[in-house]
Amino acid sequence: MAGRDDELCMTYTISKLSETAKTFRRLGEAYECATGEGMVENLSHEGPSFKRQLFLVADILDDCTLMHMSSNKITSKRARQITARGLACGIVIKDINVITDKSGKEELILIAKTLGKGCISERKLRSILCDLAKCGYYSDRDNRLVINEGYQQYVYHQEDRFRILSGTARHCKEKENLNGDNFLISNLSCGKMVAAIADGCGSGQRAYIESRMVIELMENCIDAGFEEKTAIDLINSAYISGGGMGNPVTMDMSVVDCQSGMLHCIKMGAVSTFIKRDNWVEIIKSSTLPLGVLEQVDYDCTAKKLYNGDYVIMVSDGVLDNIPGVNKEEIMVEIINKVKSKKPKAIAHEILETSLKYNKRVAFDDCTVLVFGLFDTCEN
């Protein structure tokens, strides 16, 4: 009965979100008609921005209705395998359920106790699940560390196929105490990793405050579960409406699906990103405008498949500004190819140090290098 109640509650919640989204969309359409007919001429300079915010809220609520997960009993064959292996190890397992999110990742929920008296480490149960599924699971932080003669619930989350290691290196413009670049590295519960660099116009305190505001807004939106492009639209709208100080902020964002290894590189006024694979480096360029310039945000989105051992190198414009000549990206490719280290932090420091040497260690602008590597946990 409880399961039925939960299902009805979920259906009701999704329906309410959907209805609220429709309401905001109707408000946007009504406001659009009103401003078009001159009924609110005194607000005509605010009309487009306010109307767009109403539509953005509707889009976000629509996204929320798609975030729910499906819960099902596992197949009888798989259940028999788990219970049989458990009994062989002295563990009684029952009521096995699996929750699958929209990315395909599993969450196993089960009840377990020991066959007789005494205790067995919870790690034994986890190793049974990993061995049968041929993939990794990690224990929920609320799980008990031991299994005893009383039934208890245990929850296990499927690990991402790809593990991501990252590192950064930074350098302020000469005579400045604050770096105008801010960065974000965040692992999401949906199985994605987001890395971003926001670069405020100029350097010093003002650039730092503006880029920090953008990066914090991005982190909040991503943590709330919004799609990256929806978050960008919302931040741009808020920035234009008065959140910023009138100066544009570039945004360079890389989103990696830790199950498939797909990379989506989203750029708004940012410089090139580099992908290093063995002795080969690919350049991802962009010619878009920064955040806060146009009401309709302008960005490029490039999709690339990453493989085990690939590195993604993201830099702010100050790093390339240190390099002389017009073929800065080609020189950066040579710098990256000469790096022998395998640790992301060491790679970032070597790239930054080489860049500064071109200009006698005097930075033209704030510099940030962000490097992350992709490693397949299924590789032997």
Side-chain angles (χ1 to χ4, degrees):
M1 185 66 183
R4 176 63 176 166
D5 290 341
D6 291 342
E7 185 179 342
L8 289 172
C9 181
M10 177 64 76
T11 302
Y12 174 79
T13 303
I14 292 173
S15 297
K16 292 296 290 183
L17 285 171
S18 183
E19 285 300 318
T20 307
K22 290 178 183 177
T23 300
F24 274 98
R25 206 173 298 283
R26 291 192 193 104
L27 283 171
E29 292 168 353
Y31 196 88
E32 185 176 37
C33 293
T35 53
E37 295 170 4
M39 293 174 63
V40 285
E41 292 179 358
N42 58 324
L43 294 176
S44 60
H45 63 289
E46 298 178 0
S49 178
F50 182 65
K51 174 195 70 177
R52 177 153 183 78
Q53 289 176 35
L54 291 172
F55 284 127
L56 277 174
V57 172
D59 290 341
I60 290 167
L61 289 172
D62 279 335
D63 285 344
C64 289
T65 64
L66 301 175
M67 289 179 190
H68 67 282
M69 299 187 249
S70 60
S71 176
N72 297 292
K73 290 281 186 181
I74 64 171
T75 63
S76 57
K77 179 182 178 181
R78 188 177 177 190
R80 285 196 302 270
Q81 289 176 333
I82 293 174
T83 54
R85 286 287 295 274
L87 285 172
C89 297
I91 303 172
V92 180
I93 304 170
K94 68 175 186 177
D95 296 337
I96 308 170
N97 290 279
V98 59
I99 295 177
T100 307
D101 64 21
K102 62 181 181 180
S103 70
K105 285 181 64 178
E106 289 186 348
E107 181 178 302
L108 288 175
I109 304 171
L110 52 86
I111 306 295
K113 74 178 187 68
T114 55
L115 185 59
K117 291 187 177 181
C119 298
I120 297 176
S121 172
E122 167 273 329
R123 294 179 183 176
K124 189 64 180 178
L125 177 55
R126 180 166 60 88
S127 67
I128 292 171
L129 300 176
C130 293
D131 187 48
L132 289 174
K134 304 301 180 185
C135 67
Y137 286 92
Y138 62 91
S139 178
D140 189 86
R141 63 182 179 182
D142 292 329
N143 284 352
R144 296 186 62 178
L145 297 179
V146 295
I147 303 169
N148 55 29
E149 62 267 23
Y151 277 113
Q152 295 289 336
Q153 177 177 276
Y154 295 87
V155 179
Y156 295 91
H157 308 274
Q158 185 179 354
E159 292 181 349
D160 295 321
R161 174 174 178 176
F162 291 96
R163 183 170 298 169
I164 295 177
L165 301 179
S166 62
T168 58
R170 312 179 75 201
H171 188 88
C172 295
K173 183 179 179 180
E174 296 303 312
K175 299 182 181 179
E176 297 287 357
N177 295 321
L178 287 173
N179 194 318
D181 305 335
N182 272 279
F183 68 93
L184 162 70
I185 303 172
S186 180
N187 292 302
L188 310 183
S189 59
C190 62
K192 293 182 180 180
M193 190 282 296
V194 176
I197 297 176
D199 185 359
C201 182
S203 60
Q205 184 176 13
R206 187 179 70 179
Y208 169 79
I209 292 172
E210 291 177 343
S211 64
R212 184 184 66 179
M213 181 185 72
V214 168
I215 213 74
E216 286 179 350
L217 282 171
M218 179 61 68
E219 186 172 16
N220 291 338
C221 288
I222 289 171
D223 284 342
F226 298 153
E227 292 293 330
E228 296 80 24
K229 295 179 182 179
T230 304
I232 290 168
D233 282 336
L234 185 62
I235 292 169
N236 186 71
S237 180
Y239 195 76
I240 287 180
S241 298
M245 301 178 182
N247 295 310
V249 175
T250 68
M251 173 67 82
D252 192 0
M253 184 161 62
S254 295
V255 183
V256 181
D257 187 318
C258 297
Q259 289 296 112
S260 66
M262 285 301 300
L263 164 72
H264 287 87
C265 191
I266 303 170
K267 291 182 173 292
M268 290 148 286
V271 297
S272 300
T273 292
F274 305 85
I275 300 175
K276 175 178 172 60
R277 181 176 301 147
D278 297 326
N279 296 319
W280 170 80
V281 177
E282 181 178 358
I283 305 174
I284 300 177
K285 297 184 178 182
S286 173
S287 58
T288 54
L289 295 172
L291 282 164
V293 175
L294 301 175
E295 182 186 338
Q296 181 68 43
V297 66
D298 181 30
Y299 57 80
D300 283 337
C301 182
T302 305
K304 295 289 180 181
K305 179 72 171 76
L306 299 180
Y307 299 92
N308 182 47
D310 286 357
Y311 293 90
V312 177
I313 296 98
M314 303 168 62
V315 299
S316 61
D317 58 2
V319 178
L320 291 181
D321 286 344
N322 295 327
I323 299 173
V326 293
N327 298 320
K328 299 177 184 291
E329 284 87 359
E330 285 72 17
I331 296 175
M332 179 59 72
V333 168
E334 295 176 6
I335 294 172
I336 294 170
N337 266 326
K338 290 178 181 178
V339 175
K340 300 303 179 185
S341 176
K342 299 296 182 181
K343 296 181 179 179
K345 190 172 185 65
I347 294 172
H349 275 283
E350 188 169 341
I351 290 171
L352 178 59
E353 286 300 313
T354 306
S355 165
L356 290 170
K357 286 178 183 177
Y358 277 99
N359 199 41
K360 299 179 181 179
R361 294 195 55 78
V362 179
F364 280 119
D365 196 2
D366 296 320
C367 301
T368 297
V369 181
L370 192 160
V371 179
F372 61 87
L374 204 74
F375 303 95
D376 193 341
T377 59
C378 296
E379 292 276 337
N380 293 323

